[in-house]
Amino acid sequence: MKTNSSFGVWPHVAAIIYSEGGVFGLVDCNSFYCSCERLFRPELRTRPVVVLSNNDGCVISRSKEAKEFGIQMGEPAFLRKDFFAANNITVFSSNYALYGDLSRRVMNELSHFSPDVEVYSIDEAFLGFSGFPKDTLPAIAKRIYKKIPKNTGIPVSVGMGPTKTLAKLANHLAKKKDEYRGIYIIDSEESREAALKQVSVADIWGIGPAYARKLEAVGITNAWEFAKANKHWIRKHLTVVGARIAYELNSIECSSLVTVDPAKKTISVARSFSSMKDTREALEGAVATFASAAAYNLRKQKGYTNLIRVFVHTNQHRSDLEQYGCNTIVPLPVQMQDTIKIVRYALHGLRKIYKRGLQYKKAGVILDQIRLESDQQNDLFDNFNRDRDEKISEAMDKINARYGKSKVKLAVASKQNAWSLRQENLSPRYTTRWQDIPIVLS
DNA sequence: TCTGGGGTCCTAGGACCC
DNA sequence: TCTGGGGTCCTAGGACCC
């Protein structure tokens, strides 16, 4: 490919560089899940706290105090059980109903600071500040830093910069270095250089362990060196993804704000079982339940799936047991969205891969090739009663919305409680369940 | 006994079409 | 002797994110 631009093989970059320079903010909640739990347990405010993943499997959130104990992200909880007890570290099972609700409150507060908010994940958002006078940014950052904890109880860090990657990097510094007191703003060449020199390549947004290893192997260790490195080398070894990151670190915008959440292209539901399962019936119960949940999410975004994947595998951490893992693709004759058909095809897939006599630890269902309703093509030879099955799903959704999740489900999804989660330290749903709302005594 | 879950994007290669 | 080539779609695998 040959172009006239001096950007050679990156014409898309040439197109972007001449657009107006923006300003982005990244607001990130500190130890989000731990902060949510502490909100209703004020006595824990200065105590070490950790939150565990589904099934109480591994550590997924740590308070500052817990990090100081050397507890790592992703550590298996059972290895640390005694350590937690010995050091008086409070442990919570994850409570997504609570975190989701508090996340909505934080995002709502953030929308008061900018008309352009990209909710990037449950605990962070990008804000657009293009057109805001540069000298107002420090005051805005300070207001966000104070207002969010005041109004929601959740502490945050604030980063700002001319690209999303720089805002993210600024946020990283704001959070990691106490001297910045939760705020870092890149608004000059000096502040950009100072920031890049303090961040190692592995901590750049988009650089994972594999890319970091490649960079370190050629002597590139921090973000400043990466930004200055040869772009052809980067393009070749880190693909266009790496090249975009390098440009963004040089204040050249390659990624813009996404303020409407796009429809998902795949929807997956998968769980590890709290204890291993060996019967086909138990796996059928799990797969039917996962397929039902996935189908419900599919209908929520008004999508239709064209292809279902089903997978199962044994416990990979048990070298003493026979290992087996398999996934299968079930192409669908017509696109579909109703629970009854999706469960039927998912179970068909399971029967193809199920092997007798093994101890299964995990299963999952993935709906793939999702298209929007408006794109739907009717198949001339469609011999299903689409109308009937879709009406049943619609009725199930209505009943469940009114009387509670999973009040109505397919019989097969009730087969044995194969996949029930272990949640030994679950907090109440303080904000989303009437019975769990805290009572204040005056 | 016990090791999470849900996504996206990029690339290379094959199938298929005209 | 000479045995196309471009476009699109799909998949698998790898890398990344939270």
Side-chain angles (χ1 to χ4, degrees), chain A residues 16 50 61 79 87 129 161 168 201 284 287 305 330 381 435:
Chain A
I16 290 159
V50 297
S61 182
L79 289 178
N87 293 287
F129 294 115
K168 189 86 175 154
V201 284
E284 283 176 349
V287 164
T305 177
V330 188
F381 305 103
Q435 299 96 294

Side-chain angles (χ1 to χ4, degrees), chain A residues 99-319:
Chain A
Y99 312 150
D101 185 55
L102 291 173
S103 173
R104 275 187 294 278
R105 296 182 189 196
V106 169
M107 300 307 168
N108 182 48
E109 285 296 324
L110 287 176
S111 68
H112 299 321
F113 291 94
S114 165
D116 302 315
V117 177
E118 173 183 341
V119 178
Y120 178 68
S121 73
I122 194 164
D123 72 336
E124 62 190 292
F126 286 100
L127 278 68
F129 294 115
S130 296
F132 286 53
K134 204 162 118 182
D135 54 4
T136 62
L137 295 176
I140 293 173
K142 239 174 245 173
R143 284 222 314 278
I144 294 173
Y145 180 75
K146 287 187 176 159
K147 203 90 184 267
I148 302 300
K150 181 165 178 262
N151 290 1
T152 68
I154 304 294
V156 297
S157 305
V158 184
M160 288 185 177
T163 62
K164 283 165 81 172
T165 306
L166 284 171
K168 189 86 175 154
L169 186 135
N171 183 280
H172 176 81
L173 281 179
K175 182 170 286 193
K176 295 281 143 132
K177 307 234 169 171
D178 287 343
E179 69 237 56
Y180 299 126
R181 300 170 170 277
I183 298 173
Y184 194 100
I185 301 176
I186 296 175
D187 57 357
S188 65
E189 273 307 289
E190 296 72 52
S191 56
R192 186 176 72 91
E193 182 174 339
L196 295 191
K197 284 181 172 170
Q198 293 181 68
V199 175
S200 59
V201 284
D203 291 330
I204 300 169
W205 186 41
I207 303 294
Y211 285 178
R213 245 177 284 124
K214 283 188 188 180
L215 290 170
E216 281 152 12
V218 295
I220 298 171
T221 61
N222 66 38
W224 179 251
E225 290 161 0
F226 179 58
K228 292 275 169 245
N230 181 294
K231 301 294 180 292
H232 288 88
W233 187 90
I234 295 173
R235 174 67 181 84
K236 188 171 167 205
H237 293 94
L238 272 58
T239 82
V240 66
V241 175
R244 284 203 278 254
I245 296 167
Y247 277 105
E248 287 240 319
L249 290 175
N250 286 302
S251 304
I252 297 167
E253 199 180 319
C254 299
S255 162
S256 47
L257 227 50
V258 181
T259 51
V260 288
D261 55 310
K264 287 182 176 46
K265 295 167 183 167
T266 64
I267 290 175
S268 90
V269 177
R271 293 284 181 281
S272 297
F273 310 138
S274 51
S275 59
M276 290 186 280
K277 295 294 159 191
D278 53 2
T279 67
R280 203 177 76 172
E281 287 68 34
L283 285 176
E284 283 176 349
V287 164
T289 303
F290 303 159
S292 303
Y296 172 70
N297 288 333
L298 180 66
R299 289 193 294 275
K300 268 204 306 204
Q301 73 166 43
K302 301 191 191 306
Y304 283 79
T305 177
N306 287 269
L307 187 154
I308 300 177
R309 297 170 194 276
V310 181
F311 70 86
V312 295
H313 63 73
T314 51
N315 190 340
Q316 288 150 325
H317 299 287
R318 289 287 298 272
S319 51

